Amino acid sequence: GPFGPVAILMSLFIPISFAVFFSVAYSQKTKKLIKARDDTKKLEIEFSNSLFQLGNRLGDGIPAEIAFGRVAQSMQGQKSSEFFSFVNNNIQQGGMSLERAIFDGKRGAIIYYPSSLIATSMRILVESVKKGLQIAARSLMSISDYVKNMQKINQRLKDLLAEIVSDIKSNMT
C-alpha cells in the first residue's frame, strides 16, 4: 500500500538526494577557497624569512626590481619563492613598475595571495623604496622581526590554550 515500508523508503530518496546535491556542490565550491587559504597560511609562515632576505638585498644596494628575482632564486621550492618570482615575472616580462607588479588589479601578485600581512608589508616596501633603499631595508627587517615575534606569541597562546582545554576535558570526565 501507499504507507508500506518500501513507499516510505522511496519517499526518503528525494530529500536525501537534495542533501547530497547541495553538500557536493558546496564542497566543490569551497575546495578552491580552502586550498588558497592554506597556501596563503604557508606563505605567511615563511614570509618573515623572505622579508629579511629581501631587506638584506636592498641594504646591499640592489634595486628592489632586481632583488625580487634574486630572493626568488635563493628560496627555490618554497611558497614565498612563488610570490617573489611572480612579482619578478611581472616586472621583467610585463614591463610593470614595482607597485603595479604587486598591486595591479588584473595581473598583480597580491591577487593570488590574499593576505593582509603580505599586502601591508608590500605597501610599506613600495612606499619606503621611494624614500631610499636603506630605509626600505630597515623597514623590511623590522617587519620581519615583528612577524617572527607575532608567530612566537601565537604559538605560545596555542600552547596555553591547549593546556587549558586539556584541563577542562579532564575535569569534565
Side-chain angles (χ1 to χ4, degrees):
F3 300 112
V6 175
I8 291 174
L9 279 175
M10 294 294 279
S11 68
L12 287 177
F13 284 135
I14 294 172
I16 289 173
S17 65
F18 278 121
V20 168
F21 170 75
F22 285 114
S23 66
V24 168
Y26 180 74
S27 67
Q28 292 296 324
K29 180 180 176 183
T30 58
K31 188 181 292 185
K32 291 179 184 177
L33 293 174
I34 291 171
K35 184 182 182 314
R37 185 189 69 198
D38 291 341
D39 288 345
T40 303
K41 281 184 181 180
K42 288 178 186 174
L43 177 64
E44 284 180 350
I45 289 171
E46 61 190 40
F47 196 65
S48 62
N49 293 332
S50 56
L51 277 180
F52 190 79
Q53 280 191 14
L54 185 62
N56 276 337
R57 302 290 163 103
L58 292 175
D60 292 340
I62 299 172
E65 291 82 4
I66 297 171
F68 271 95
R70 292 193 180 168
V71 171
Q73 288 175 353
S74 68
M75 300 192 76
Q76 207 71 28
Q78 296 180 353
K79 281 289 176 191
S80 56
S81 170
E82 294 174 13
F83 175 76
F84 286 107
S85 64
F86 199 88
V87 172
N88 187 43
N89 287 340
N90 280 349
I91 291 171
Q92 290 184 354
Q93 295 174 358
M96 298 179 171
S97 66
L98 180 63
E99 186 172 8
R100 280 195 57 219
I102 298 170
F103 296 107
D104 189 57
K106 293 182 181 178
R107 294 182 43 198
I110 204 73
I111 293 172
Y112 302 104
Y113 299 97
S115 166
S116 60
L117 169 69
I118 297 168
T120 304
S121 59
M122 290 295 112
R123 182 64 64 194
I124 290 170
L125 168 69
V126 167
E127 293 301 319
S128 60
V129 163
K130 293 176 184 175
K131 297 183 185 336
L133 291 178
Q134 294 300 321
I135 294 171
R138 275 190 248 131
S139 63
L140 285 181
M141 288 182 188
S142 298
I143 292 171
S144 173
D145 289 339
Y146 174 76
V147 170
K148 284 180 185 176
N149 289 336
M150 289 301 298
Q151 288 174 349
K152 287 178 186 177
I153 290 170
N154 281 339
Q155 187 60 39
R156 179 71 178 138
L157 287 174
K158 285 180 185 177
D159 291 343
L160 290 172
L161 189 61
E163 197 174 303
I164 292 169
V165 168
S166 174
D167 289 344
I168 290 173
K169 284 182 180 178
S170 67
N171 285 341
M172 284 176 30
T173 57

